[in-house]
Amino acid sequence: MQNTIDLLLKHNELRIIDDELDIELEIPHIAYIEVKKEDSKALLFTNPVCKKSGIKFKIPVLMNIFGSFKRLALLAPDSEEIAKEIESYLKLSPPKTFIEKMIKIKQLLALRYIVPKKTNKALWKDNISLGENVDLFNLPILKTWEKDGGAFITMGQVYSTSLDGNIKNLGMYRLQVYDKNHLGLHSQIHKDSTHFFNEYKKANKKMPITICIGGDPLYTWCGQAPLPYGMYELALYGLIRKKKPKVCKCNTNDLMVPYDCDIVIEGFVNIDTLKDEGPFGDHTGFYTPIEPYPVIEITSISHKNNPIYLATVVGKPPLEDKYMGYMTERIFLPLLKTTNSFLLDYYMPENGVFHNLILAKIDCKYPNCAKQIMHSFWGVGQMSFVKHAIFLPKDSPALNDHYKISEFILNHLDINDLIISKGICDALDHSSPDYASGGKLGIDCTMEIESTQDIEILDDNKLFQKIHTNYDEIVDLKQYFTHTKNPITLISINKKSRVLEHIEAFYPLHCRIVFVLDSKDNDLSNLYMCVWRITNNIDALRDILVKDGVVLIDATAKGKLENHNREWPSDVVCTPSVIEHLVKIGVIKRDEELWKKYQIF
């Protein structure tokens, strides 16, 4: 990590903070606000403390290293170039000329980097604690949010292997600290380590596991790369870095991990023990509930001399995962194309928190081609977790041009041709009626639509009064894209009854697409955060009603009115007293505009 720090300093991308700051809330809140700035920096906290225990840590905390496109470019090769290289491997064909032969040989030689190289020397073996001497509380592990169940490792590289040792995996999961030598392993049902856990449980054997922190930042990014089952993420590291990853055997289990990591935590997963994990303010911007997960018993903690503790903050967008997700999006486009031959490009807006919204540009070859592809999307790897997918033709605007692409969608959207189905959801999704299973929405915008039923556009005040006459729960209203064939109306309410029961209030036609949100915590003029709230809060099967030229979408919090029996979580917010203290001591500056824009409180 020291090399990373030096690189960031050289390019004026690092702010060093020497104040004594608490690992509980203070450090995470500073990083959370910093990464939302247009000119954000990576942050190095040189004097982390735990005010509860009185511990002053010797290990600095480094955060937000991936938190801008500039830093992303410094820490990893160009994503587009990596994507082109991967695509070239996928399209290998017999060479026809001498020059083609030389190119093919060069390509094939690069594959030698995908096999890790073993070494007996590891930088992290400078300091080793074993057995009774291990103590997680000696590490500056952060508690990010007030309602979190405890402190969590958030940027750990989690190494595991199948029972027979033939399949290796590098993942990135949150890890809750229970005590000095136990961690909770939040490995969701679709993760490779969960498949391994099931193998070990069936064989009645403890599962070896190792968590690494720091080292080359690319290790960390590879940990969240959505590779197919059985493909080792360190092979991807070697392909990108153009060098073999050097790995060394752990002290207390047989796993091999990178030699240059800063901190290495070894242990075994107890196959007979599950323990309540959470709550945790997650990347969705909401707290995930308390649920039982496997427990890791720690057998060794090692670290290099002068280690750095790498961490991240997840919560409401935009955050560091925006930039990590961009790199993933670009690099994995060629692989996604192999299962969707008509796919040209795709885009996951960060305020759709990736799995909640995807835009895909396709080359349609025949009518209803998009409908075929959307079902294909929902059957491929982690794309199967996507809740809302919008498909556009090749001549549509750039997918990340938010205004123009929104115009295009609204002028090519047929509300009577929405594809609503049921499928698997991300385990973190809170809006689905059942765990990991809920509604999905597919929208085909690839064809010209027939002229829609005329509607009379009123100004916001007149429309509010007209709707309020028949729907007195309405508190506020704002319209967008009224010049398109499908204008959008956002309304906020103090909910007393089921939203979809009020569709008659929107006749005669003055609206086309109506999104309904709770009046609490929603600013209808803040479209960025409204999109975040809407894509998180709707289940397409339950919350969308199309009738007589209007589509009504319920994006409110759900409960007994909707027969939603699962806990509805609160969204994550900074603790005001902590922010005020940080302003008072001069570590952060008051910025009410930024805080309001991204709903800090």
Side-chain angles (χ1 to χ4, degrees), residues 357-394:
L357 178 63
I358 186 170
L359 309 181
K361 188 175 289 193
I362 59 177
D363 184 10
C364 292
K365 299 295 186 182
Y366 44 81
N368 294 313
C369 178
K371 294 178 177 63
Q372 178 190 15
I373 293 176
M374 67 178 65
H375 288 290
S376 174
F377 254 63
W378 286 328
V380 178
Q382 293 195 31
M383 285 295 170
S384 61
F385 302 117
V386 172
K387 288 173 61 177
H388 312 111
I390 304 174
F391 294 86
L392 301 119
K394 61 182 179 181

Side-chain angles (χ1 to χ4, degrees), residues 416-588:
N416 296 306
D417 192 33
L418 304 179
I419 305 299
I420 297 177
S421 66
K422 185 176 183 178
I424 190 170
C425 293
D426 193 291
L428 303 181
D429 181 66
H430 62 263
S431 67
S432 55
D434 302 306
Y435 172 78
S437 175
K440 294 179 175 292
L441 172 66
I443 300 176
D444 180 359
C445 293
T446 61
M447 297 181 289
E448 294 292 334
I449 60 172
E450 297 179 5
S451 57
T452 55
Q453 190 175 351
D454 289 338
I455 60 176
E456 180 188 3
I457 299 296
L458 305 178
D459 66 38
D460 287 356
N461 290 330
K462 288 182 180 179
L463 183 57
F464 176 90
Q465 294 300 327
K466 200 168 188 67
I467 296 172
H468 189 268
T469 301
N470 298 309
Y471 192 9
D472 62 5
E473 296 171 32
I474 184 172
V475 173
D476 196 10
L477 177 150
K478 189 168 181 62
Q479 297 177 91
Y480 291 92
F481 298 100
T482 54
H483 60 290
T484 67
K485 294 178 181 179
N486 290 288
I488 289 176
T489 303
L490 302 184
I491 68 170
S492 61
I493 62 169
N494 290 328
K495 188 168 68 170
K496 301 173 185 175
S497 55
R498 295 190 68 164
V499 168
L500 300 188
E501 293 175 352
H502 294 278
I503 195 165
E504 302 295 335
F506 300 94
Y507 302 114
L509 283 180
H510 298 291
C511 308
R512 180 77 69 213
I513 302 173
V514 182
F515 292 96
V516 183
L517 300 99
D518 294 298
S519 59
K520 184 179 182 294
D521 299 327
N522 288 298
D523 176 2
L524 301 187
S525 64
N526 188 342
L527 194 54
Y528 180 92
M529 294 308 297
C530 282
V531 169
W532 164 77
R533 181 82 64 177
I534 288 165
T535 56
N536 264 300
N537 275 10
I538 64 175
D539 178 86
L541 277 170
R542 179 193 58 215
D543 298 330
I544 299 176
L545 176 61
V546 181
K547 184 178 179 181
D548 298 333
V550 174
V551 55
L552 182 60
I553 302 169
D554 179 2
T556 63
K558 308 303 186 303
K560 291 182 179 180
L561 282 172
E562 297 83 12
N563 297 317
H564 186 84
N565 298 317
R566 300 175 65 206
E567 176 187 354
W568 194 271
S570 55
D571 48 298
V572 298
V573 292
C574 292
T575 303
S577 59
V578 172
I579 297 298
E580 288 302 320
H581 170 70
L582 295 172
V583 171
K584 185 178 179 179
I585 64 175
V587 179
I588 63 173

